[in-house]
Amino acid sequence: SGDSAPLNEAMAVLQHHDAVTGTCKQHVADDYARQLAAGWEPCEVLLSNALARLSGSKEDFTFCRDLNISRCQLSQTSSSFQVTIYNPLGRKVDWMVRLPVSKGVFLVRDPQGRTVDNNVVILPSTDRQMDHSELLFSASVPALGFSTYSVTKMTNGKLQTRAPRRRPKKSS
Amino acid sequence: FNVLAIENEHIRATFNPKTGLLMEIENLDKKLLLPVQQAFFSYFASRGDRLSDQVSGAYIFRPNQSQPLPVRRWAQIRVVKTDLVQEVHQNFSAWCSQVVRLYPGQQHLELEWTVGPIPVIDSWGKEVISRFDTPLKTNERFYTDSNGREILERRRNYRPTWNLNQTEEVAGNYYPVNSRIYITDGQVQLTVLTDRSQGGSSVRDGSLELMVHRRLVNDDRRGIGEPLMESGSGALVRGRHLVLLDTFQAAASGHRLLAEKVVLAPQVVLAPGGGVPYNLG
């Protein structure tokens, strides 16, 4: 079961001035990080439950915590996946989604099943072993709601695998 | 290149082709052009001097000289231009790089910086800043916020409620920046939104700086009992500055709406797909 109380508590602890300013001892900083990480985990379950209820579909949701450093196991290894974007703002937003992927050509569809323009950008890296391609597409998300986009990798202009079973899914 | 620029329908950012540094920002809607040079600098931490034995530490920011040193005077660059994004990748050193980015329809310039681990092998603590230099006549004034609620006017070497005897030229003019800092000459305003709380200042007229990372080798004797020194090889930090150029009259509506989008940013959740129908029953 999901629970937001541990993250609430961790956030409350982190109101202390040495957490806000970073003036704590290193072992205290490590403990703050531990409390935040432990608090986030049951929140992911809570969010998964909420999304399942709102979308009417129970999925194996993945929260990519390392997106800021272009790392996400699911998007980098799967040939098809779904991207759900939740907008906590009280107005519609258009948002550029950036996801690390392996090199290739992708087909992106919006919640209405229409094809969405996308680009794969190859990023410079000092580590030549790592693949640093990122998939970009613009997502439109309603106020205080979410949109689900589907991404499928293509080979030689054809879908590499069957697209995930499509269910009528609109922005909610 | 003769001219190196990225642009969309609202903004053009021009880079010096020799140095790779940002040179100019233009608001195409309002036909505003502002020379802006942006680069990274580092203040070397004080170890105490004849005026005071106070060293720079976790609590105390005290650089040992008023002029920071550039991380490098030029950046190795790479340009990426596609239909959906235009980016200039700037590499200043092995521990300092930045991507200047523009998406279609976007009214601000995005600067995604990556700094660290700060080298301290020379036994000098360092505090790294991103500095924007413009010719704006700002009359010793700049503006910082308190969680976006109240923007306060800050005046260099001045306090509104007492006669200040300024003894720290740089640190004495640093203020908390929770979400934004700006400078203006009454006509044009340059605003920088941050994605986290940082220290910021305008040490010279037309200049605006934000501290992005710091690593120190000495304890400042204020009770922590250890220097601000990450264990292992050190921390690598990535963050974003969103830069807006607008008229003074229109700037507030622009940075307030943009800040809302930053604070309440969309959350991305992935799933392999093919889930089973779900309802409460």
Side-chain angles (χ1 to χ4, degrees):
Chain A
S1 61
D3 190 3
S4 63
L7 186 64
N8 267 341
E9 197 170 315
M11 285 301 292
V13 172
L14 264 75
Q15 301 302 304
H16 189 269
H17 67 87
D18 69 1
V20 175
T21 56
T23 50
C24 52
K25 283 175 182 279
Q26 185 62 46
H27 74 269
V28 179
D30 295 342
D31 190 57
Y32 284 149
R34 183 193 61 79
Q35 288 192 50
L36 279 178
W40 179 242
E41 218 161 288
C43 268
E44 287 185 346
V45 180
L46 193 71
L47 283 167
S48 298
N49 293 347
L51 283 173
R53 181 173 169 179
L54 291 168
S55 67
S57 173
K58 192 176 176 184
E59 302 281 349
D60 189 8
F61 291 110
T62 299
F63 298 79
C64 292
R65 297 185 186 186
D66 293 337
L67 278 183
N68 69 322
I69 54 168
S70 302
R71 265 202 328 229
C72 177
Q73 175 80 12
L74 180 64
S75 63
Q76 285 176 302
T77 56
S78 294
S79 53
S80 68
F81 55 92
Q82 288 182 352
V83 185
T84 299
I85 306 126
Y86 171 70
N87 171 25
L89 203 56
R91 57 185 152 91
K92 168 185 170 284
V93 296
D94 293 314
W95 188 261
M96 192 64 75
V97 177
R98 289 185 80 113
L99 294 170
V101 289
S102 54
K103 280 177 196 162
V105 179
F106 290 83
L107 177 73
V108 180
R109 289 192 188 277
D110 71 6
Q112 283 73 38
R114 294 177 299 226
T115 305
V116 176
D117 286 344
N118 68 83
N119 283 158
V120 174
V121 177
I122 297 167
L123 303 175
S125 169
T126 48
D127 182 0
R128 289 178 188 175
Q129 302 298 311
M130 293 285 285
D131 194 348
H132 280 272
S133 300
E134 284 198 339
L135 173 70
L136 273 80
F137 64 90
S138 180
S140 181
V141 197
L144 293 167
F146 63 90
S147 295
T148 300
Y149 287 71
S150 68
V151 177
T152 309
K153 191 172 185 178
M154 300 172 78
T155 310
N156 301 327
K158 293 177 181 171
L159 291 180
Q160 192 176 40
T161 61
R162 274 183 64 119
R165 184 159 50 97
R166 290 201 51 74
R167 295 159 36 76
K169 204 173 270 182
K170 289 184 180 169
S171 298
S172 307
Chain B
F1 299 103
N2 288 326
V3 178
L4 174 60
I6 53 174
E7 70 176 281
N8 65 10
E9 58 271 48
H10 303 295
I11 298 187
R12 177 186 295 133
T14 311
F15 296 80
N16 185 323
K18 288 180 184 160
T19 62
L21 301 182
L22 179 65
M23 191 169 73
E24 222 167 59
I25 302 178
E26 189 174 358
N27 180 328
L28 300 171
D29 299 326
K30 307 271 175 72
K31 300 198 172 16
L32 297 174
L33 177 70
L34 183 68
V36 182
Q37 182 159 318
Q38 184 270 340
F40 291 90
F41 298 81
S42 56
Y43 288 110
F44 279 53
S46 176
R47 296 162 165 173
D49 55 24
R50 60 184 175 80
L51 294 173
S52 165
D53 63 354
Q54 178 65 61
V55 304
S56 201
Y59 277 105
I60 306 292
F61 167 41
R62 189 169 187 240
N64 80 334
Q65 81 269 49
S66 55
Q67 292 296 324
L69 298 174
V71 170
R72 191 186 276 175
R73 293 184 193 279
W74 57 275
Q76 194 177 30
I77 57 167
R78 185 171 179 272
V79 183
V80 174
K81 285 193 180 187
T82 72
D83 297 341
L84 295 182
V85 71
Q86 295 181 45
E87 295 180 342
V88 174
H89 297 246
Q90 301 170 309
N91 190 23
F92 292 89
S93 73
W95 54 273
C96 182
S97 62
Q98 181 173 252
V99 179
V100 184
R101 185 176 289 139
L102 209 48
Y103 292 120
Q106 190 173 275
Q107 293 183 317
H108 62 274
L109 196 62
E110 180 178 318
L111 276 61
E112 189 177 56
W113 44 267
T114 305
V115 176
I118 297 174
V120 287
I121 198 161
D122 55 3
S123 301
W124 282 98
K126 294 171 195 73
E127 332 218 43
V128 182
I129 61 162
S130 169
R131 196 175 79 190
F132 301 77
D133 292 310
T134 76
L136 287 178
K137 291 183 173 51
T138 52
N139 198 21
E140 302 181 343
R141 285 158 173 84
F142 60 105
Y143 301 81
T144 63
D145 76 308
S146 175
N147 280 332
R149 286 192 285 268
E150 188 182 15
I151 309 251
L152 296 175
E153 180 186 280
R154 310 295 193 179
R155 190 171 154 192
R156 213 156 49 244
N157 302 325
Y158 176 81
R159 299 292 184 274
T161 53
W162 78 93
N163 291 325
L164 174 69
N165 172 29
Q166 184 64 273
T167 55
E168 293 290 338
E169 204 179 339
V170 177
N173 287 308
Y174 255 70
Y175 288 91
V177 176
N178 287 292
S179 69
R180 70 207 75 181
I181 180 170
Y182 62 79
I183 52 173
T184 176
D185 64 355
Q187 306 293 320
V188 173
Q189 180 170 319
L190 182 77
T191 311
V192 181
L193 293 174
T194 63
D195 61 350
R196 69 201 65 190
S197 293
Q198 292 176 327
S201 185
S202 172
V203 176
R204 286 196 319 274
D205 268 12
S207 173
L208 182 160
E209 64 188 60
L210 286 157
M211 188 182 291
V212 294
H213 196 7
R214 56 202 300 248
R215 192 178 190 194
L216 304 165
V217 296
N218 296 113
D219 173 40
D220 57 11
R221 303 190 306 277
R222 296 283 163 160
I224 308 162
E226 64 183 40
L228 191 71
M229 165 73 79
E230 308 98 9
S231 49
S233 60
L236 197 150
V237 187
R238 176 169 290 172
R240 281 188 302 168
H241 289 153
L242 307 183
V243 182
L244 288 153
L245 175 69
D246 209 336
T247 58
F248 175 63
Q249 288 77 14
S253 64
H255 69 69
R256 286 193 183 278
L257 288 170
L258 180 58
E260 280 181 359
K261 280 181 83 172
V262 173
V263 173
L264 296 171
Q267 302 295 308
V268 175
V269 186
L270 304 189
V276 294
Y278 174 84
N279 59 58
L280 271 182

